[in-house]
């Protein structure tokens, strides 16, 4: 409701007849408070503009900046470079690591706002609740001085006031970061010996051009996002309104962090210093790390949340229909592929998808090894260098022309698919074979080029001579650009688009321009081969230059005569004529240059049309048959590292462990656990002996079941006490916990930890109980509480576990629960009867549904209520849910699936069909001994 209200208010203001300066902006906090967002100004204006009001914090920032300049002036010349290199790296660390950490904890735990609440920074001292009245009045005066209109310190939400204080810290760090960088450049600047006047003039003109472009990028970006996004306001509160991301946001992704650092390289050019260049690269890389690890996750969480689920009780697939094998189904199992879409599982690209059982992956690895061995074992003589270059050229010709011809025939006549249909195989099989052939060709094309480059590369004998360092830096930068382009293209297109899926599957044409395609229509046209030119620059070899030129020409031919005609056939008028970058550049051109550019476009278009007509006329004479061969990769096993961590309270005086207890209060199974303190436990051996001679049976809980825990503690117990969930075998000591909880813990009292997750699960906290009800003979009152462990706070595996009550935020153990077992019952087909088809599908569905609901945390947004109800969208976005189900299926039925299979099936009904199908295929190795041939072991599956 708050979001809708803010959207309506902002839309009303936007369409009103008020002047821009009089239009108001509305925002909302995470708890639904709607407020007017006052107008603020950018960092430079509020610090340096005489028209802007000044306060004490402005004076402090200016004083620190002045101290930087004074230090630079007073330092000896030989000391300026090392000192200001360290100063700049310090401020850059404060920016990317310091601000990054603050934003991370604010995004995930709301910790900055939590600190403001904890220390009561914004509570009016008149109420008697603020222990720091001087600090309160200082902050109030500082903020109200900067925002004289539409702002009252007492009435603003705590999130907004916290953001304003955070802004002041950002101003200091960012200004010091920039000033220290400029002073470092001044210290390193100079003219290289023997440099001509023409080269000096070129350096300064190019440098100032890059600085000017950098300035325009920053100004235009601020025009679009305003102070709200410039200072990461959406980490604190939200403004719901429609924004037009034009201008610089059509030129490059994240322009403030990508092209917005062009000025650094311009300053490096003017300084003519490799020191400045290298430190600029470090700063730019740190900024990208900040983007990847801080901003992008927050953006995805805030603006790209999965849509709410649409519930449907209708089955997705007709259970009574019999499908043929060539429909992609075996024994009635639901298909992963359709005529409109290939299977979304068992991808080919990426290290995590390597599968050595697949012939393609094995072939690729062996061929890469073969190329690697040949490259290292043969001498770098002209003969071998020539052979490697010819080999790379042949693979490039095949990759562009051979693969291009196959795709062209597939687009025109479905020739590849028809070949496999001729032998009774499915479209999915044709698709798999095509992916193998294309993947093999791609890897060999790049591997042979890298091998040729290695053969022709020679390490410079003198790095200080000429431009060797610059060539390597620029060359490696171009290689990085190509890698980034390839990753961005794959992120935008997915496996389907990467392997030209729309040549093989007649899916509904839907063209969207997202990711890198928002800025470029064909990223591969230029940036997709930047690494080839980078290799040519690094090696300085005419042969590598020839390979780069050949690759680029053939790539353009492929785009023009294979991709473009197919795209026009599929999407027609939906194709965008100009990319976002081209539109942005055209708008910035003077009118007479726009007319000239239009004439050039027409000339190029007519030339391309002539070439296309020529090729079409010659095609019948040039047609030739092409044949390819393919093979189909590796299980990757990850073992989590156990981290030992122990923090102990040195003094436990005044605390008696007999006053603490913890027990499981959840009613998830008939037996009930009895609490017991640590002092009542003997060692593990004694306990196991006692278990064998008594009637004690450990509590048994379902896999994924929520667990409620009740604890008791004395009145003086620490408010920072906490309860953790552990494997019994993980801790040898019963006095102290020696392993990390890995997030599986809950605080006993609210608002004692900075992390939001600490309070998740608290049901009752510090409820006082009269000592009269005690059964141990004591009469003192005590405190009790209750908490619930669920979701990520559970162990998603089977075994024996225990809860441990810890003291004062440390790892001193005050009480331990009785051990309990988490298990998954094996499905026994002897206890159920088969249906008319001889399958036990209905019984499998019935057994599987509650387990799947547990795996999905019983969240109504994703957990199904019936077997035919689809999973929520979050299951596809977050792979942890599918991994839980895969583990449970393996334990219940003895069948192992990939997590992507669970995501692709989409409901319990399809998954149950797949389980039945897998068990029929794997019989007699997975069936019980009463059905058919006995398995290798006589246990139930």
């Amino acid at each position: 409701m708050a979001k809708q209200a803010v959207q309506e208010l902002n839309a009303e203001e936007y369409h009103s007849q008020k002047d821009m300066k009089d239009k108001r902006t509305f925002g909302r906090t995470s708890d639904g408070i709607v407020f007017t967002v006052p107008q603020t100004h950018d960092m430079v204006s509020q610090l340096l503009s005489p028209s802007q009001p000044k306060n004490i914090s402005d004076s402090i920032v200016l004083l620190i900046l002045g101290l930087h300049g004074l230090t630079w002036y007073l330092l000896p010349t030989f000391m300026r470079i090392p000192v200001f290199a360290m100063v700049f790296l310090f401020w850059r660390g404060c920016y990317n690591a310091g601000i990054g950490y603050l934003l991370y904890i604010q995004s995930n735990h709301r910790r900055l706002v939590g600190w403001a609440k904890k220390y009561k920074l914004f509570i009016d001292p008149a109420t008697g609740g603020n222990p720091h009245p001087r600090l309160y009045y200082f902050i109030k005066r500082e903020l109200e001085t900067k925002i004289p209109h539409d702002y009252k310190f007492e009435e603003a939400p705590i999130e907004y006031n916290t953001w304003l204080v955070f802004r002041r810290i950002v101003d200091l760090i960012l200004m010091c970061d920039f000033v220290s960088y400029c002073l470092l450049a001044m210290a390193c600047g100079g003219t290289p010996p023997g440099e001509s006047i023409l080269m000096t003039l070129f350096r300064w003109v190019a440098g100032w051009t890059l600085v000017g472009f950098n300035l325009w990028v920053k100004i235009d970006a601020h025009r679009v996002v305003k102070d709200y996004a410039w200072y990461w306001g959406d980490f604190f509160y939200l403004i719901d309104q429609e924004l037009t991301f034009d201008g610089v946001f059509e030129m490059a992704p994240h322009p403030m962090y990508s092209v917005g650092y062009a000025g650094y390289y311009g300053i490096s050019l003017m300084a003519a210093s490799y020191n400045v260049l290298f430190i600029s690269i470090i700063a730019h890389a740190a900024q990208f790390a900040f983007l990847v690890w801080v901003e992008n996750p927050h953006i995805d969480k805030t603006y790209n949340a999965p849509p709410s689920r649409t519930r449907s009780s209708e089955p997705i697939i007709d259970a009574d229909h019999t499908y043929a094998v060539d429909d992609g189904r075996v024994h009635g199992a639901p298909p992963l592929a359709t005529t409109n879409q290939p299977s979304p599982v068992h991808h080919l690209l990426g290290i995590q998808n390597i599968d050595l059982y697949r012939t393609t992956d094995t072939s690729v690895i062996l061929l890469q090894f073969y190329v690697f061995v040949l490259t290292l074992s043969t001498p770098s003589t002209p003969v071998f260098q020539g052979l490697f270059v010819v080999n790379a050229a042949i693979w490039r010709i095949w990759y562009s022309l051979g693969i291009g011809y196959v795709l062209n025939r597939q687009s025109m006549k479905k020739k590849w698919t028809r070949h496999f249909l001729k032998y009774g195989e499915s479209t999915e099989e044709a698709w798999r074979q095509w992916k193998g052939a294309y993947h093999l060709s791609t890897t060999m094309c790049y591997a042979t080029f890298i091998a040729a480059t290695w053969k022709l590369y020679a390490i410079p004998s003198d790095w200080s001579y000429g431009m060797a360092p610059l060539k390597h830096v620029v060359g490696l930068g171009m290689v990085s650009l190509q890698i980034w382009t390839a990753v961005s293209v794959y992120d935008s297109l997915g496996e389907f688009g990467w392997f030209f899926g729309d040549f093989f599957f007649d899916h509904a044409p839907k063209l969207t321009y997202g990711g890198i395609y928002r800025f470029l229509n064909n990223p591969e046209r230029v940036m997709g081969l930047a690494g080839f030119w980078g290799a040519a620059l690094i090696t300085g070899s005419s042969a590598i230059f020839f390979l780069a030129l050949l690759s680029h020409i053939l790539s353009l031919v492929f785009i023009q005569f294979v991709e473009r005609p197919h795209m026009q056939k599929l999407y027609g008028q939906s194709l965008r004529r100009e990319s976002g970058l081209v539109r942005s550049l055209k708008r910035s051109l003077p009118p007479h240059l726009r007319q000239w550019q239009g004439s050039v476009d027409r000339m190029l278009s007519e030339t391309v049309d002539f070439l296309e007509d020529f090729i079409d006329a010659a095609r019948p004479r040039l047609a030739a048959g092409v044949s390819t061969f393919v093979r189909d990769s590796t299980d990757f096993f990850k073992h989590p590292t156990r981290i030992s961590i122990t923090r102990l309270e040195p003094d436990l005086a005044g605390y008696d462990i007999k006053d603490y207890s913890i027990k499981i209060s959840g009613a998830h199974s008939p037996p009930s656990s009895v609490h017991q303190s640590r002092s009542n436990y003997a060692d593990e051996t004694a306990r196991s002996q006692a278990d064998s001679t008594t009637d004690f049976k450990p509590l048994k809980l379902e896999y994924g079941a929520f667990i409620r825990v009740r604890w008791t503690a004395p009145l003086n117990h620490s408010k920072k006490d906490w309860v953790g969930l552990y494997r019994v075998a993980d801790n040898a000591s019963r006095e102290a916990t020696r392993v990390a909880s890995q997030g599986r813990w809950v605080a006993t009292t609210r608002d004692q930890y900075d992390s939001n997750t600490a309070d998740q699960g608290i049901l009752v906290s510090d409820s006082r109980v009269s000592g009269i009800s005690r059964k141990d003979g004591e009469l003192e009152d005590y405190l009790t509480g209750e908490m619930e462990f669920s979701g990520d706070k559970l162990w998603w595996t089977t075994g024996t576990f225990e809860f441990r009550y810890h003291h004062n935020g440390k790892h001193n153990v005050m009480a331990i629960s009785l051990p309990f077992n988490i298990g998954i019952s094996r499905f026994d087909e002897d206890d159920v009867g088969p249906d008319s088809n001889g399958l036990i599908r209905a019984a499998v569905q019935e057994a599987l549904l509650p387990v799947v609901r547990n795996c999905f945390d019983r969240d109504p947004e994703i957990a199904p209520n019936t077997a035919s109800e689809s999973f929520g969208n979050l299951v596809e976005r977050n792979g942890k849910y599918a991994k839980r189900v895969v583990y449970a299926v393996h334990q219940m039925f003895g069948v192992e699936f990939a997590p992507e299979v669970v995501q692709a099936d989409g409901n319990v009904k399809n998954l149950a069909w797949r389980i039945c199908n897998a068990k029929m295929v794997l019989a007699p190795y997975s069936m019980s001994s009463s059905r058919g041939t006995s398995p290798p072991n006589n246990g139930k599956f």
Side-chain angles (χ1 to χ4, degrees), residues 654-656 659-660 711-719 721 749 766-771 774 779-784 805:
Y655 298 98
D656 189 346
D659 295 330
Y660 294 82
W711 56 266
T712 62
L715 298 179
N716 67 334
H717 86 95
S718 171
K719 299 301 180 184
D721 288 354
T749 309
D766 285 350
S767 175
R768 186 161 183 156
V769 179
S770 172
R774 297 181 67 156
L779 297 177
E780 294 182 2
D781 292 356
Y782 63 93
L783 297 177
T784 185
Y805 186 107

Side-chain angles (χ1 to χ4, degrees), residues 79 196 215 253 458 511:
M79 289 290 293
S196 65
L215 182 62
L511 189 61

Side-chain angles (χ1 to χ4, degrees), residues 181 185 203 263-281:
Y181 176 82
R203 282 196 301 105
Y264 270 37
Y265 301 104
I267 293 174
S268 303
L269 196 59
M270 290 186 286
S273 168
Y274 283 117
N275 292 331
V276 180
L277 176 61
F278 292 143
I279 211 165
S280 299
I281 295 173

Side-chain angles (χ1 to χ4, degrees), residues 317-332:
I317 298 174
D318 185 2
D320 298 325
H321 187 74
T322 302
Y323 299 99
V325 175
D326 58 1
D327 287 329
R329 302 166 175 85
V330 182
H331 300 296

Side-chain angles (χ1 to χ4, degrees), residues 405-421:
Y405 177 79
V406 173
L407 284 175
N408 179 268
R409 295 296 86 196
Q410 174 67 14
S411 174
M412 301 296 292
K413 298 181 178 180
K414 297 290 183 184
K415 191 171 184 62
W416 183 279
T417 302
R418 289 175 182 273
H419 173 80
F420 289 90
L421 293 178

